[in-house]
Amino acid sequence: MLKDITSRVNQLEIRELLGYAVLSDPDAVDQAVDFYRNSEKNKLYGYEEEGLIIGLIGCSLNEKVLTIHHIAVIPENRGKDYGRGMILELLLHHQAEQVVAETDEEALGFYRSLGFEVYSLGETYPGVERFRCVYDVEEPGE
């Protein structure tokens, strides 16, 4: 079950999980912490099981577009559909018409397996291609 952990963003276990989402760059972790701490529209949710946060997903909702900013699962629980479950649970909580995420090549298979359309953004950093992943939410009965 997802729970709002935005107020806990600076705790060590949350910072460690954010580190997985930003490739363990300490400056990027600090930026991510500030991103959630300094804006009420940015929310960070944790997936808790047996008292342990095993995954997190950070997002914002703007005019029916849910943007995923960060998603991570502790290494020993990857490949067990926690990432998929967190996205699906977010869709239940928010009335989004579209979900978008920006990612690198390593995560493309994950987003494609969920039905996201993938578009190249080109080299946004020297030697690093980034991708925009878009999922249009269907209305019930469609």
Side-chain angles (χ1 to χ4, degrees), residues 34-82:
D34 289 343
F35 180 78
Y36 295 105
R37 195 170 39 199
N38 296 330
S39 175
E40 290 195 19
K41 74 174 192 162
N42 302 328
K43 296 292 181 189
L44 189 64
Y45 297 95
Y47 190 90
E48 187 175 62
E49 194 170 86
E50 297 180 12
L52 177 67
I53 303 289
I54 59 171
L56 61 73
I57 188 165
C59 64
S60 59
L61 183 65
N62 186 11
E63 297 186 24
K64 303 285 185 176
V65 176
L66 181 67
T67 301
I68 298 171
H69 299 285
H70 300 96
I71 185 168
V73 175
I74 56 175
E76 57 269 21
N77 283 299
R78 292 182 186 159
K80 297 179 181 178
D81 284 340
Y82 288 109

Side-chain angles (χ1 to χ4, degrees), residues 114-133:
L114 294 172
F116 281 74
E117 294 290 325
V118 176
Y119 306 92
S120 175
L121 297 172
E123 276 190 32
T124 55
Y125 308 103
V128 178
E129 185 176 11
R130 299 286 292 173
F131 300 88
R132 178 178 170 85
C133 304

